[in-house]
Amino acid sequence: MDAHAWDERYAATDLVWSREPNQFVAAELAALPPGTAVDLAAGEGRNAIWLASRGWSAIAVDFSQVALDKGARLAADDPRDLDVTWVRADATTWGPTEPVDLVVVAYLQVPAGDRRRAVRNAVGMLRPGGTFLLVAHDSTNLTDGAGGPQDPAVLMTAQDVVGDLTSTPDLDVEVLRADRVAREVTAADGHGGEERRTAWDCLVRVVRR
């Protein structure tokens, strides 16, 4: 992972990602009562800001300071009193000082070893009963979908992520959902072409026992 390259990418445009939360993050977590949340690999913080707008105390963690600074400006410009802390750190190793209620990992596309460290680290942050949600570009998107990374080494399936967690003895989790999910994209999303196309993501939601 190259933080400098991501700094350059975030500096080159107004927003790399949308201001709105990821659609699956919003759908899966809208009904959860607010508590403390960590958004790992948060980028410009769209999911952390959305959680804070719903009453959560959120920590946005990313290794790009440019992205975090942009997110902090977005949060500061919001008329709502948003509780978001911005932390520059490695998403595969960083941890909070106290257990949290929720960890979100959205589109952290890294090789398998880094992924395993990241998701195990994420679930390890949770209090008993806490929720972990991962959304990522699915391995099948390379041949069946649109956009996303073209390197199979950084793609994954829901079963890969579940295996990362269930093969770790000290992480006792209940798997609530592990699916391949469709996401419609257009040229406006940076995927080229005029027609709507389907991108395939994997989604994993677990609760720590």
Side-chain angles (χ1 to χ4, degrees):
M1 295 186 290
D2 186 345
H4 179 69
W6 277 100
D7 278 341
E8 291 183 338
R9 182 176 180 184
Y10 283 116
T13 186
D14 179 27
L15 283 178
V16 172
W17 316 116
S18 72
R19 293 176 182 267
E20 300 302 314
N22 171 262
Q23 67 187 72
F24 301 117
V25 171
E28 289 291 320
L29 303 180
L32 277 185
T36 54
V38 172
D39 182 8
L40 282 180
E44 296 147 325
R46 58 177 179 156
N47 295 318
I49 290 172
W50 176 78
L51 287 165
S53 76
R54 301 181 66 83
W56 290 80
S57 176
I59 303 172
V61 180
D62 200 275
F63 69 172
S64 170
Q65 189 63 53
V66 174
L68 294 169
D69 290 344
K70 290 169 73 173
R73 289 193 293 270
L74 288 175
D77 290 341
D78 196 294
R80 297 164 293 188
D81 185 17
L82 303 181
D83 183 3
V84 185
T85 302
W86 305 89
V87 176
R88 183 179 183 274
D90 183 341
T92 67
T93 58
W94 178 87
T97 57
E98 299 289 339
V100 299
D101 301 295
L102 169 68
V103 179
V104 175
V105 179
Y107 304 102
L108 176 61
Q109 309 294 151
V110 292
D114 290 329
R115 183 195 72 233
R116 280 190 289 272
R117 283 190 292 274
V119 300
R120 291 170 179 171
N121 182 52
V123 172
M125 300 178 194
L126 294 171
R127 64 164 180 80
T131 296
F132 168 75
L133 178 68
L134 176 140
V135 182
H137 296 288
D138 191 85
S139 294
T140 61
N141 193 62
L142 190 63
T143 54
D144 300 343
Q150 298 301 294
D151 179 0
V154 302
L155 302 177
M156 67 200 76
T157 67
Q159 289 69 35
D160 290 333
V161 177
V162 170
D164 294 340
L165 297 175
T166 56
S167 62
T168 306
D170 58 339
L171 293 179
D172 186 10
V173 298
E174 178 185 0
V175 180
L176 302 184
R177 187 175 182 189
D179 293 322
R180 187 179 83 147
V181 292
R183 175 171 47 87
E184 297 304 307
V185 297
T186 65
D189 302 310
H191 297 283
E194 296 297 327
E195 77 282 2
R196 298 188 68 82
R197 302 172 67 191
T198 298
W200 292 102
D201 291 341
C202 61
L203 185 154
V204 175
R205 180 176 177 177
V206 308
V207 169
R208 187 173 189 181
R209 292 192 177 103

